[in-house]
Amino acid sequence: MSKFIFVTGGVVSSLGKGIAAASLGKLLEARGLKTAIIKCDPYLNVDPGTMNPFQHGEVYVTDDGAETDLDLGHYERFTNAVLSKDSSITAGKVYYTVITKERRGDYLGKTVQIIPHITDEIKERLKKVAKNSGVDITIVEIGGTVGDIESLPFLEAIRQLRWELGEHYALNIHVTLLPYIRSAGEQKTKPTQHSVGRLREIGIIPQILLCRTEKSITQEQREKIALFCNVDVEAVIEALDVRHIYEVPAALKKEGLDDLVLKKLNIKLPDRGLKQWEEGVLKRLRSPAKEVKIAVVGKYIALQDAYKSIYEALAHGGIANNAKVHIIRIDSEEMEKTDPKKLLKDARGVLIPGGFGGRGIEGKVRAVQYVREHKIPFFGICLGMQIATIEFARNMCALKDANSTEFDKETKCPVISLIEEQKKVKNLGASMRLGAYTCVIEKGTKAFEAYKSAKIFERHRHRYEFNNVYRSALEGKGLVIAGRNPERDLVEIIEIKDHPWFVGCQFHPEFKSKPDAAHPLFRAFVAAALAGEKN
Ligand code: GLN
């Protein structure tokens, strides 16, 4: 039976609870334990798939096609945990299930209530993941901040679960903030005391506190926090700001987090260190041999979280090439008004990420034309591939009206359009082409050179597709169809001839990249950008 670790957050949001949970997963894996990770989100959307990135940040997609919170991306990047649609539990999903059961008559005669019906549904879902994945430890991160009304059912569920399982089988970790007050020159422990007090009111006593702080905590402060919050002094863990998120596992290990967790869960295992991570990731992050600037042209540039996996995968491509990638963020609307030459003058590579809707589209088309003509390495992802197709059709094939029906329903030249099954879609939630599909790759292409394989599986999240009606016209002018989905004959990868590196893919490779195993396309793209740096 899997043991559970529940991770809650207090004081403020954005404390890096997801990274803390992922780092804990990494540390436990390094000790030889198999882990699963679950994210509980208290909002009422069934999944974040219909939310604007400005609201929610990136929507992360799993192999089985679940649209999930971006914290699941951290989990997959830090650990080997295999995630699925069950790894993401929203209040929306839970209520939807309970209300559907009520309508079916499953609770006939009873009043359906938050306790026990909603909390039972949450517990069942948690136990199901723990059981089906056959892991030693299931880490459960509760989204939101303690004190929010909407997260109460989740907190009540984990309170019950720990009580049912007993002390060596479940553990509560609370991630909290010690704000530094400059004028007083000290960190304040009061918000943490209040937050833990709030948890105690609902029957949860955390055994470990992860204290996020800009400055080191003194022994005296540790003792004070321990006394007021009912934890052992050794369980007051300092989580100091670090330069890079991949430093977090090593920093928490230094504080003894893994030893402490194993002790509290009554598990005895030898410590084999974090050598591979230190050598393969941290050493290269700290002292890269080279540097390169890569531009990302997107419409959600203002929000750091909107392209999370893209930025991470570029960093991984850098690590694989022993280089630091500096990202130049360019708003595609800005590109509509300004000469691309001016905006892209420092970029040795340009990436256009995924996106929805017409805003900023023409700016992206201008960026593609510029990099195609100036032979600057280009990587187009999902919408980025669709834009590259539109640009090629317009400027290389004299199809002036070329567009996607997403942006111009009446276009005379729909080089990107909906396939039949998408035309029938009525509900927008979870109805895109989602999750992993097969792609076969042509030998002799840049994609084949990167993957070194003729058959790959990559994750999708889109409705529109390359329109095969235009395939031969575009191929005739030098477009290369480098990858196809064999079952439905859908274009998955395009390239162009006579260009140092110009690759567009309909899928999202960024979701499968890891710091110690960069995605092949990101590795190759950064290598191509570095090659341009020397010229
Ligand atoms: N909006 C495009 C589509 O739905 C691209 C989606 C994406 O980039 N994820 O096909």
Side-chain angles (χ1 to χ4, degrees):
M1 168 75 183
S2 167
K3 300 190 175 187
F4 281 89
I5 300 175
F6 304 115
V7 181
T8 52
V11 184
V12 291
S13 58
S14 304
L15 280 183
K17 232 183 322 140
I19 290 168
S23 300
L24 177 61
K26 175 90 216 158
L27 293 182
L28 297 179
E29 266 185 7
R31 299 296 286 255
L33 292 165
K34 231 182 129 208
T35 64
I37 311 196
I38 304 172
K39 174 79 192 279
C40 295
D41 276 301
Y43 50 71
L44 289 178
N45 301 62
V46 170
D47 61 45
T50 56
M51 278 190 235
N52 185 315
F54 278 128
Q55 282 273 314
H56 183 273
E58 164 189 285
V59 173
Y60 187 78
V61 181
T62 55
D63 265 344
D64 67 349
E67 294 174 282
T68 74
D69 187 78
L70 56 81
D71 276 326
L72 272 81
H74 292 310
Y75 302 161
E76 286 208 335
R77 286 188 280 274
F78 279 74
T79 73
N80 294 311
V82 179
L83 305 181
S84 72
K85 58 183 188 328
D86 296 330
S87 317
S88 163
I89 304 177
T90 63
K93 265 186 204 169
V94 172
Y95 281 81
Y96 196 83
T97 311
V98 170
I99 292 171
T100 307
K101 281 187 190 166
E102 187 277 333
R103 290 291 80 187
R104 215 166 45 207
D106 290 11
Y107 308 111
L108 220 50
K110 293 203 185 90
T111 307
V112 181
Q113 294 179 297
I114 305 242
I115 306 171
H117 301 100
I118 295 292
T119 45
D120 280 353
E121 177 64 30
I122 296 170
K123 284 193 292 179
E124 246 165 65
R125 283 173 180 259
L126 298 178
K127 286 185 206 159
K128 181 179 154 200
V129 174
K131 187 161 169 256
N132 291 353
S133 49
V135 294
D136 307 299
I137 309 275
T138 304
I139 300 172
V140 181
E141 181 196 343
I142 310 290
T145 309
V146 166
D148 298 344
I149 290 178
E150 55 183 14
S151 59
L152 275 174
F154 287 100
L155 295 175
E156 171 60 14
I158 62 167
R159 183 198 66 76
Q160 292 178 11
L161 204 49
R162 179 157 197 272
W163 183 77
E164 285 167 23
L165 294 169
E167 69 168 334
H168 294 310
Y169 293 88
L171 180 65
N172 285 91
I173 300 184
H174 191 53
V175 183
T176 177
L177 176 72
L178 299 184
Y180 180 72
I181 307 297
R182 219 159 285 279
S183 56
E186 59 176 310
Q187 293 115 309
K188 292 295 179 189
T189 62
K190 189 78 82 192
T192 295
Q193 295 175 36
H194 280 301
S195 181
V196 174
R198 217 50 206 270
L199 273 175
R200 274 202 307 265
E201 276 171 30
I202 52 175
I204 295 174
I205 302 182
Q207 290 80 46
I208 298 176
L209 297 180
L210 283 190
C211 301
R212 296 281 289 106
T213 171
E214 307 176 37
K215 307 255 181 212
S216 249
I217 327 176
T218 61
Q219 183 60 23
E220 203 186 333
Q221 279 167 323
R222 286 179 196 255
E223 283 165 14
K224 185 173 168 189
I225 296 168
L227 181 68
F228 284 109
C229 298
N230 260 17
V231 296
D232 304 330
V233 180
E234 59 165 7
V236 178
I237 300 274
E238 172 185 282
L240 203 58
D241 289 352
V242 286
R243 274 188 44 210
H244 205 285
I245 55 169
Y246 299 127
E247 308 261 7
V248 177
L252 294 177
K253 185 168 181 60
K254 231 169 114 194
E255 279 281 298
L257 179 66
D258 51 341
D259 282 339
L260 191 64
V261 166
L262 294 191
K263 191 170 123 191
K264 300 231 177 261
L265 291 177
N266 206 16
I267 300 171
K268 287 190 186 60
L269 282 169
D271 187 354
R272 282 171 281 162
L274 269 183
K275 207 156 173 233
Q276 241 177 317
W277 187 257
E278 291 271 359
E279 297 282 321
V281 180
L282 300 184
K283 227 168 149 184
R284 282 163 170 240
L285 263 181
R286 288 179 196 139
S287 46
K290 297 161 268 182
E291 292 183 54
V292 66
K293 290 197 176 97
I294 288 180
V296 174
V297 184
K299 62 191 281 193
Y300 312 112
I301 287 296
L303 184 78
Q304 167 73 14
D305 276 353
Y307 301 120
K308 192 97 214 164
S309 295
I310 296 274
Y311 297 149
E312 290 308 316
L314 282 170
H316 306 162
I319 293 172
N321 284 286
N322 210 355
K324 160 105 187 126
V325 176
H326 296 279
I327 297 171
I328 310 171
R329 291 161 203 211
I330 302 175
D331 190 325
S332 45
E333 279 184 293
E334 190 62 34
M335 190 67 84
E336 285 178 349
K337 296 175 266 175
T338 319
D339 185 359
K341 189 173 165 190
K342 197 170 152 214
L343 292 175
L344 296 174
K345 67 177 190 316
D346 295 327
R348 295 293 167 266
V350 172
L351 185 151
I352 298 192
F356 296 84
R359 184 170 63 83
I361 289 299
E362 292 305 321
K364 293 184 184 181
V365 174
R366 272 161 72 103
V368 175
Q369 180 175 6
Y370 182 80
V371 296
R372 182 178 53 74
E373 290 174 354
H374 291 80
K375 306 223 182 292
I376 296 168
F378 168 77
F379 195 6
I381 293 178
C382 206
L383 177 68
M385 181 199 106
Q386 299 176 353
I387 298 285
T389 306
I390 293 168
E391 193 279 328
F392 193 87
R394 285 186 193 170
N395 298 324
M396 292 297 288
C397 309
L399 297 167
K400 296 235 163 330
D401 297 318
N403 214 333
S404 163
T405 52
E406 180 178 5
F407 316 126
D408 179 2
K409 276 201 172 54
E410 309 303 327
T411 176
K412 287 196 222 86
C413 186
V415 288
I416 305 291
S417 63
L418 289 179
I419 50 172
E420 284 312 311
E421 64 186 59
Q422 277 294 336
K423 288 184 186 160
K424 295 182 211 127
V425 164
K426 294 238 159 40
N427 285 342
L428 293 186
S431 57
M432 285 189 242
R433 185 173 170 223
L434 287 166
Y437 285 92
T438 324
C439 170
V440 288
I441 301 183
E442 287 297 317
K443 292 216 168 80
T445 59
K446 293 279 191 296
F448 190 85
E449 213 176 278
Y451 280 104
K452 298 189 173 44
S453 169
K455 193 174 179 190
I456 53 153
F457 299 89
E458 293 282 6
R459 299 179 193 174
H460 293 248
R461 181 174 184 253
H462 58 100
R463 281 188 210 287
Y464 296 83
E465 303 279 352
F466 186 107
N467 186 346
N468 280 338
V469 169
Y470 293 93
R471 193 143 134 187
S472 56
L474 271 61
E475 279 179 310
K477 295 289 180 190
L479 193 86
V480 178
I481 307 299
R484 270 181 334 104
N485 171 263
E487 286 88 26
R488 292 196 273 181
D489 194 27
L490 296 170
V491 171
E492 303 281 34
I493 307 176
I494 61 163
E495 297 184 6
I496 56 174
K497 290 192 183 125
D498 305 323
H499 191 286
W501 208 89
F502 189 106
V503 176
C505 54
Q506 189 56 79
F507 47 80
H508 288 271
E510 70 274 22
F511 293 145
K512 284 175 70 169
S513 189
K514 291 181 183 239
D516 47 358
H519 188 282
L521 290 179
F522 278 89
R523 183 175 15 85
F525 173 53
V526 173
L530 277 163
E533 193 70 41
K534 283 181 212 114
N535 300 329

